[in-house]
Amino acid sequence: MEYLVLIALFSPLVGSLFAGLLFGAKDKKIIAGLIPTALLGVSLISSIYLLYFIYTSGGKINLTLFDWIVSGRLDLQFGFVVDQISVVMMSVVTIVSTVVHIYSIGYMEHDKSFNRFFSYLSAFVFSMMVLVMSDNFLGLFIGWEGVGLCSYLLIGFWYHKPFASWAANEAFIMNRIADLGMLLGIFLIYWNIGSLHYDRVFAYIPLIENGVLVWIAILLFIGAMGKSAQFPLHTWLANAMEGPTPVSALIHAATMVTAGVYLLIRANPLYSMVSDVGAFIAILGTFVAFFAASMALVATDLKRIIAYSTLSQLGYMFVAAGLGYYWVALFHLTTHAFFKALLFLGAGNVMHAMRDELNIRKMGRLWGTLKPTAIMMTLASIALAGIYPFAGFFSKDKILEVAFGSSHYVLWAVLLLTAALTAFYSFRVVMMVFFGKEANYRKQNIHPHEARTFMLVAMSPLAILAVIAGFFEGGFINLVSKSLKVSAPHIGHTTEYALIGGTLALVILTIIFAVFKYAAGGFNPTWQRSAIYKFLSTEWYIPALYKKTIIAPYAAVSNFLWQKIDLKIVDFTVDQIAKLTLAASYQFRKMHTGSLSHMLRWMVAGLAILLLIVFAAFLALTYSSAKGA
């Protein structure tokens, strides 16, 4: 099976290198898209077969390629592990990535940097595979940084757009700040254990002092906060929408933003021993879930609404992980990947139909021309809202169940409210885009059209999985039970049915309200002048706060250092040295006349000076010796 591990891991890298070799080959654009996509399909097949093997055998595959770092106590191999956790992530990543690659062939076909896009996209997938397949923390960190680099390249792919470059810089810098915390956590692990291999670290953890474990858990979680855009390191996520829509689908569905959740799941033996840190993670996740959903209620940018939804669902995942139900977090991560990727790709279809327009107020009545897209986005919205029997019902309701069953009633109440908000903003989008009152876009010579057939066919597996993935819960539990403790708080059947029924009733009533409200034209425009609307539309004033308390002071200090230190001291000093050197060179140039007699005179003068120096040194030495005697 080792060769399948290598194929699954390195096929995306080969595809990336192939597309990279064709950067300037305009006549080979389709080849640059087809070959990486085909290789990613090979990776997908290998991952699915490995999933079947791990499920039936109940074991795991360890593969060591070579010795990596051997220094002192550190003996680290470049190795990978395919177990119940990593194989689930491999399958999810390759399924979504393959769909995105196929979709991108049509979406990016007219872009002049088509080849470069596929090179970056496949490199992104390879980095994510390294992250989830590594058998040690340092290998995970290498993949972690690779994902960060590729996300920077993809978010800022259209670098000629100023805000795209700005958004890429924001994502990169904010993640580097968080990654410093993660790197310190890895150093602390090695300092106390002497190894970074998962098996050795987790075996030794019970022997470590609790205070040290708390610091390790906090530092690793700081890295997870950055990658999964948890408050207060969340602002980059919505701004990352400046990248091409397939990038949004890949980053926000199964890859980059879920890496933080994966880290907590992978390090579950550590977090299981520091319940206080887990409680903080659950509280923060609950806040983020509500916080992001509240912003989606009033947002008008189609992609940003879906991005806020991703942020909210990540909060749900962190709640499950913080409460110790890691299998529930992984299950929701899996189901969420399918319907969220479907939503983003559907948004891409809408953008193309509307000439890259993203303001949902300028849309409406697109059902007539975008029926397949409307159907798939509606299915994804139902799954996101958590309606039975769609995938989101099984995973998101399980998080509500464990929150209630573990007596965290406040968290449960906030998450329940968030579920209602999720249903509302999801169908607000559906109604305003596909069924609501038509805006005057036809007067602007915009004539919507459906995406190409193969793009719609590529999206169909995600639509199917968004509907049926929840029914695999039993098999999922059987699979991950070998690596994760599969448990649920004891709740009586009556209480369980009441929770499910109450949640479903609330969500369905919210959907009905949204449908009828926006069918009738939506809220009164005066609502947009209210204080709460302004509060939510400005993202709780947090970006403005960051700008005033962090960005503006930093810019002021930087400007001062530039004007007063760099220009007037550093540059002035360097300039004076240069001027002095230039002036001296003009004087010393007179020495080089080319005349032999002139050169001999300079040699004699130099010899005389040298003899005087030697004579002076001799006198000084003689004087010091006589004085000492």
Coordinates of all heavy atoms in Angstrom, one line a residue, residues 60-62 80-90 130-137 140 144 196-199 201-202 205 220 258-272 321 326-327 329-330 333 483-484:
K60 N -3.3 1.0 10.2 CA -2.8 2.3 9.6 C -1.5 2.0 8.9 O -0.9 0.9 9.1 CB -2.6 3.3 10.7 CG -1.5 3.0 11.7 CD -1.4 4.1 12.7 CE -0.3 3.8 13.8 NZ -0.1 4.9 14.7
I61 N -1.1 2.9 8.0 CA 0.1 2.7 7.2 C 1.1 3.8 7.6 O 0.8 5.0 7.5 CB -0.2 2.8 5.7 CG1 -1.3 1.8 5.3 CG2 1.0 2.7 4.8 CD1 -1.8 2.0 3.9
N62 N 2.3 3.3 8.0 CA 3.4 4.3 8.3 C 4.4 4.2 7.1 O 4.8 3.1 6.8 CB 4.1 3.9 9.6 CG 3.2 4.3 10.8 OD1 3.0 5.5 11.1 ND2 2.7 3.3 11.5
F80 N 5.3 9.8 6.8 CA 3.9 10.0 6.7 C 3.1 8.9 7.3 O 3.6 7.7 7.4 CB 3.5 10.2 5.2 CG 4.2 11.3 4.6 CD1 5.4 11.0 3.9 CD2 3.8 12.6 4.6 CE1 6.1 12.0 3.3 CE2 4.5 13.6 4.0 CZ 5.7 13.4 3.3
V81 N 1.9 9.2 7.7 CA 1.0 8.2 8.3 C -0.4 8.3 7.7 O -0.9 9.4 7.5 CB 0.9 8.3 9.9 CG1 0.4 9.7 10.3 CG2 0.1 7.2 10.5
V82 N -0.9 7.2 7.3 CA -2.3 7.1 6.8 C -3.1 6.3 7.8 O -3.0 5.1 7.9 CB -2.4 6.5 5.4 CG1 -3.8 6.4 5.0 CG2 -1.5 7.3 4.4
D83 N -3.8 7.0 8.7 CA -4.7 6.4 9.7 C -6.1 6.9 9.5 O -6.5 7.5 8.5 CB -4.1 6.7 11.1 CG -4.1 8.1 11.5 OD1 -4.6 9.0 10.6 OD2 -3.6 8.5 12.6
Q84 N -6.9 6.6 10.5 CA -8.4 6.9 10.4 C -8.6 8.4 10.3 O -9.6 8.8 9.6 CB -9.1 6.3 11.6 CG -9.2 4.8 11.6 CD -7.9 4.1 12.0 OE1 -7.0 4.7 12.6 NE2 -7.8 2.8 11.7
I85 N -7.8 9.2 10.9 CA -8.0 10.6 10.8 C -7.5 11.2 9.5 O -8.2 11.9 8.8 CB -7.3 11.3 12.0 CG1 -7.9 10.8 13.3 CG2 -7.5 12.9 11.9 CD1 -7.1 11.4 14.6
S86 N -6.3 10.9 9.2 CA -5.7 11.5 8.0 C -6.3 11.0 6.7 O -6.5 11.7 5.7 CB -4.2 11.2 7.9 OG -3.9 9.8 7.9
V87 N -6.8 9.7 6.7 CA -7.4 9.2 5.4 C -8.8 9.9 5.2 O -9.2 10.1 4.0 CB -7.6 7.7 5.5 CG1 -8.8 7.2 6.3 CG2 -7.6 7.1 4.1
V88 N -9.5 10.3 6.2 CA -10.7 11.1 6.0 C -10.4 12.4 5.4 O -11.0 12.9 4.5 CB -11.5 11.2 7.4 CG1 -12.6 12.2 7.2 CG2 -12.0 9.9 7.9
M89 N -9.4 13.1 6.0 CA -9.0 14.4 5.4 C -8.5 14.3 4.0 O -8.8 15.1 3.1 CB -7.9 15.0 6.3 CG -8.4 15.4 7.7 SD -9.6 16.7 7.7 CE -8.7 18.1 6.9
M90 N -7.7 13.2 3.7 CA -7.2 13.0 2.4 C -8.3 12.9 1.4 O -8.3 13.4 0.3 CB -6.3 11.7 2.3 CG -5.0 11.9 3.0 SD -4.2 10.2 3.3 CE -4.0 9.7 1.6
V130 N 0.5 17.2 2.5 CA 1.6 17.1 3.4 C 1.2 17.3 4.8 O 1.6 16.6 5.8 CB 2.8 18.0 3.0 CG1 3.9 18.1 4.0 CG2 3.4 17.6 1.6
L131 N 0.4 18.4 5.0 CA -0.1 18.8 6.3 C -0.9 17.6 7.0 O -0.6 17.3 8.1 CB -1.0 20.0 6.2 CG -1.4 20.8 7.4 CD1 -1.8 22.2 7.0 CD2 -2.6 20.1 8.1
V132 N -1.8 17.0 6.3 CA -2.7 16.0 6.9 C -2.0 14.6 7.0 O -2.4 13.8 7.8 CB -4.0 15.9 6.2 CG1 -4.7 17.3 6.2 CG2 -3.9 15.4 4.8
M133 N -1.0 14.4 6.1 CA -0.4 13.0 6.1 C 0.8 12.9 6.9 O 1.3 11.8 7.2 CB -0.1 12.6 4.7 CG -1.4 12.5 3.8 SD -1.0 12.2 2.0 CE -0.2 10.6 2.1
S134 N 1.4 14.0 7.3 CA 2.7 13.9 8.1 C 2.5 13.2 9.4 O 1.4 13.3 10.0 CB 3.2 15.4 8.3 OG 4.4 15.3 9.1
D135 N 3.5 12.5 9.8 CA 3.5 11.8 11.1 C 4.2 12.5 12.2 O 4.4 11.9 13.3 CB 4.0 10.4 10.9 CG 5.5 10.4 10.6 OD1 6.1 11.5 10.5 OD2 6.1 9.3 10.5
N136 N 4.5 13.8 12.0 CA 5.1 14.5 13.1 C 4.8 16.0 13.0 O 4.3 16.5 11.9 CB 6.7 14.4 13.0 CG 7.2 14.9 11.7 OD1 7.5 16.1 11.5 ND2 7.4 14.0 10.7
F137 N 5.0 16.7 14.1 CA 4.6 18.1 14.1 C 5.3 19.0 13.2 O 4.8 20.0 12.6 CB 4.7 18.7 15.5 CG 3.6 18.3 16.4 CD1 3.8 17.2 17.3 CD2 2.4 18.9 16.4 CE1 2.7 16.8 18.2 CE2 1.3 18.5 17.2 CZ 1.5 17.5 18.1
L140 N 4.0 18.5 9.7 CA 2.7 19.3 9.6 C 3.0 20.7 9.5 O 2.2 21.4 8.7 CB 1.9 19.0 10.9 CG 0.6 19.7 11.1 CD1 -0.4 18.8 11.9 CD2 0.7 21.0 11.8
W144 N 1.8 23.2 6.6 CA 1.0 24.4 7.1 C 1.5 25.7 6.5 O 0.7 26.5 6.0 CB 1.2 24.5 8.6 CG 0.4 25.4 9.4 CD1 0.6 26.7 9.6 CD2 -0.8 25.0 10.2 NE1 -0.4 27.2 10.5 CE2 -1.2 26.2 10.9 CE3 -1.4 23.8 10.4 CZ2 -2.3 26.2 11.7 CZ3 -2.5 23.8 11.3 CH2 -3.0 25.0 11.9
L196 N 9.3 15.0 18.1 CA 8.1 15.6 17.5 C 7.2 14.6 16.8 O 6.2 15.0 16.2 CB 8.6 16.7 16.5 CG 9.3 17.9 17.1 CD1 9.9 18.8 16.0 CD2 8.4 18.7 18.0
H197 N 7.5 13.4 16.9 CA 6.7 12.3 16.3 C 5.4 12.2 17.1 O 5.5 12.1 18.3 CB 7.5 11.0 16.2 CG 6.9 10.0 15.3 ND1 5.8 9.2 15.7 CD2 7.2 9.6 14.0 CE1 5.5 8.4 14.7 NE2 6.3 8.6 13.7
Y198 N 4.3 12.1 16.4 CA 3.0 12.0 17.1 C 3.0 10.9 18.1 O 2.6 11.2 19.3 CB 1.9 11.8 16.1 CG 1.6 13.0 15.1 CD1 1.2 12.7 13.8 CD2 1.8 14.3 15.5 CE1 0.9 13.7 12.9 CE2 1.6 15.3 14.6 CZ 1.1 15.0 13.3 OH 0.9 16.0 12.4
D199 N 3.3 9.7 17.8 CA 3.1 8.6 18.7 C 4.0 8.8 19.9 O 3.5 8.5 21.0 CB 3.5 7.3 18.0 CG 2.5 6.9 16.9 OD1 1.4 7.4 16.9 OD2 2.9 6.1 16.0
V201 N 5.2 11.7 21.2 CA 4.7 12.8 21.9 C 3.5 12.5 22.7 O 3.4 12.8 23.9 CB 4.4 14.0 21.0 CG1 3.7 15.1 21.7 CG2 5.7 14.5 20.3
F202 N 2.5 11.8 22.1 CA 1.3 11.5 22.8 C 1.4 10.5 23.9 O 0.7 10.5 24.9 CB 0.2 11.1 21.8 CG -0.1 12.2 20.8 CD1 -0.5 11.9 19.5 CD2 -0.1 13.5 21.1 CE1 -0.8 12.9 18.5 CE2 -0.4 14.5 20.2 CZ -0.7 14.2 18.9
I205 N 3.0 12.5 26.9 CA 2.2 13.6 27.4 C 1.7 13.4 28.9 O 1.8 14.4 29.7 CB 1.0 14.0 26.5 CG1 1.5 14.9 25.4 CG2 -0.1 14.6 27.2 CD1 0.4 15.3 24.4
L220 N -0.3 26.1 20.4 CA -0.8 25.4 19.2 C -2.1 26.0 18.7 O -2.4 26.1 17.5 CB -0.9 23.9 19.4 CG 0.4 23.1 19.6 CD1 0.1 21.6 19.8 CD2 1.4 23.3 18.5
T258 N -9.8 24.6 7.4 CA -10.1 23.5 8.3 C -8.8 22.9 8.9 O -8.9 22.0 9.7 CB -10.8 22.4 7.5 OG1 -10.0 22.0 6.4 CG2 -12.2 22.9 7.0
A259 N -7.7 23.4 8.5 CA -6.4 22.9 9.0 C -6.3 23.1 10.6 O -5.8 22.3 11.3 CB -5.2 23.6 8.3
G260 N -6.9 24.3 11.0 CA -6.8 24.5 12.5 C -7.7 23.5 13.2 O -7.3 23.0 14.3
V261 N -8.8 23.1 12.7 CA -9.7 22.1 13.3 C -8.9 20.8 13.3 O -8.9 20.0 14.3 CB -11.0 22.0 12.6 CG1 -11.9 21.0 13.3 CG2 -11.7 23.4 12.6
Y262 N -8.3 20.5 12.2 CA -7.6 19.2 12.0 C -6.5 19.1 13.1 O -6.2 18.1 13.7 CB -7.0 19.1 10.6 CG -6.0 17.9 10.5 CD1 -6.4 16.6 10.4 CD2 -4.6 18.2 10.5 CE1 -5.5 15.6 10.3 CE2 -3.7 17.1 10.5 CZ -4.2 15.8 10.3 OH -3.3 14.8 10.3
L263 N -5.8 20.3 13.3 CA -4.7 20.3 14.3 C -5.2 19.9 15.7 O -4.6 19.1 16.4 CB -4.0 21.6 14.4 CG -3.0 21.9 15.5 CD1 -1.8 20.9 15.3 CD2 -2.5 23.3 15.5
L264 N -6.4 20.4 16.1 CA -6.9 20.1 17.4 C -7.3 18.6 17.4 O -7.2 17.9 18.5 CB -8.1 20.9 17.7 CG -7.9 22.2 18.6 CD1 -6.9 23.1 17.9 CD2 -9.2 22.9 18.9
I265 N -7.9 18.1 16.3 CA -8.3 16.7 16.3 C -7.1 15.8 16.4 O -7.1 14.8 17.1 CB -9.1 16.4 15.0 CG1 -10.4 17.2 15.0 CG2 -9.4 14.9 14.9 CD1 -11.2 17.2 13.7
R266 N -6.1 16.1 15.6 CA -4.9 15.3 15.6 C -4.2 15.3 17.0 O -3.7 14.3 17.5 CB -3.9 15.8 14.6 CG -2.5 15.2 14.5 CD -2.6 13.7 14.3 NE -3.0 13.3 13.0 CZ -3.2 12.1 12.6 NH1 -3.1 11.1 13.5 NH2 -3.5 11.8 11.4
A267 N -4.2 16.5 17.7 CA -3.6 16.6 19.0 C -4.6 16.3 20.1 O -4.4 16.8 21.2 CB -3.0 18.0 19.1
N268 N -5.6 15.5 19.9 CA -6.6 15.3 20.9 C -6.1 14.7 22.2 O -6.7 15.0 23.2 CB -7.8 14.5 20.3 CG -7.4 13.0 20.0 OD1 -7.6 12.2 20.9 ND2 -6.9 12.7 18.8
P269 N -5.1 13.9 22.2 CA -4.6 13.4 23.5 C -4.1 14.5 24.4 O -4.2 14.5 25.6 CB -3.4 12.4 23.1 CG -3.8 12.0 21.7 CD -4.4 13.2 21.1
L270 N -3.5 15.6 23.7 CA -3.1 16.7 24.5 C -4.2 17.5 25.0 O -4.3 17.8 26.2 CB -2.2 17.6 23.6 CG -1.9 19.0 24.1 CD1 -1.1 19.0 25.4 CD2 -1.2 19.8 23.0
Y271 N -5.2 17.9 24.2 CA -6.3 18.8 24.6 C -7.3 18.0 25.5 O -8.0 18.7 26.3 CB -7.0 19.3 23.3 CG -6.2 20.4 22.6 CD1 -5.4 20.1 21.6 CD2 -6.3 21.7 23.1 CE1 -4.7 21.1 20.9 CE2 -5.6 22.7 22.5 CZ -4.8 22.4 21.4 OH -4.0 23.4 20.8
S272 N -7.3 16.7 25.5 CA -8.1 16.0 26.4 C -7.6 16.1 27.8 O -8.4 15.9 28.8 CB -8.2 14.5 26.0 OG -8.8 14.3 24.7
A321 N -14.8 20.3 19.2 CA -13.5 19.9 19.6 C -13.2 20.4 21.0 O -12.6 19.6 21.8 CB -12.5 20.5 18.6
Y326 N -14.2 15.1 19.5 CA -13.4 15.3 18.3 C -14.0 14.7 17.0 O -13.9 15.2 15.9 CB -12.0 14.9 18.5 CG -11.3 15.5 19.7 CD1 -11.3 14.9 21.0 CD2 -10.8 16.8 19.6 CE1 -10.7 15.6 22.1 CE2 -10.2 17.5 20.7 CZ -10.2 16.8 21.9 OH -9.7 17.5 23.0
W327 N -14.6 13.5 17.2 CA -15.2 12.8 16.1 C -16.3 13.6 15.5 O -16.6 13.6 14.3 CB -15.6 11.4 16.5 CG -16.9 11.4 17.3 CD1 -17.0 11.4 18.7 CD2 -18.2 11.2 16.8 NE1 -18.3 11.3 19.1 CE2 -19.1 11.2 18.0 CE3 -18.8 11.1 15.6 CZ2 -20.5 11.1 17.9 CZ3 -20.2 11.0 15.5 CH2 -21.0 11.0 16.6
A329 N -16.5 16.9 15.5 CA -15.9 18.0 14.8 C -15.4 17.6 13.4 O -15.6 18.3 12.4 CB -14.7 18.6 15.6
L330 N -14.8 16.4 13.4 CA -14.3 15.8 12.1 C -15.5 15.5 11.2 O -15.4 15.7 10.0 CB -13.5 14.6 12.4 CG -12.8 14.0 11.1 CD1 -11.9 15.0 10.4 CD2 -12.0 12.7 11.5
L333 N -16.8 18.8 9.8 CA -15.8 19.2 8.9 C -16.0 18.6 7.5 O -15.9 19.2 6.4 CB -14.4 18.9 9.4 CG -13.1 19.4 8.6 CD1 -11.9 19.5 9.5 CD2 -12.8 18.5 7.4
S483 N -9.2 5.6 16.2 CA -8.2 6.7 16.5 C -8.8 7.7 17.5 O -8.0 8.4 18.2 CB -7.8 7.4 15.3 OG -7.0 6.6 14.4
L484 N -10.1 7.9 17.5 CA -10.7 8.9 18.4 C -11.7 8.2 19.3 O -12.4 7.2 18.9 CB -11.5 9.9 17.5 CG -10.6 10.8 16.5 CD1 -11.5 11.6 15.7 CD2 -9.6 11.6 17.3

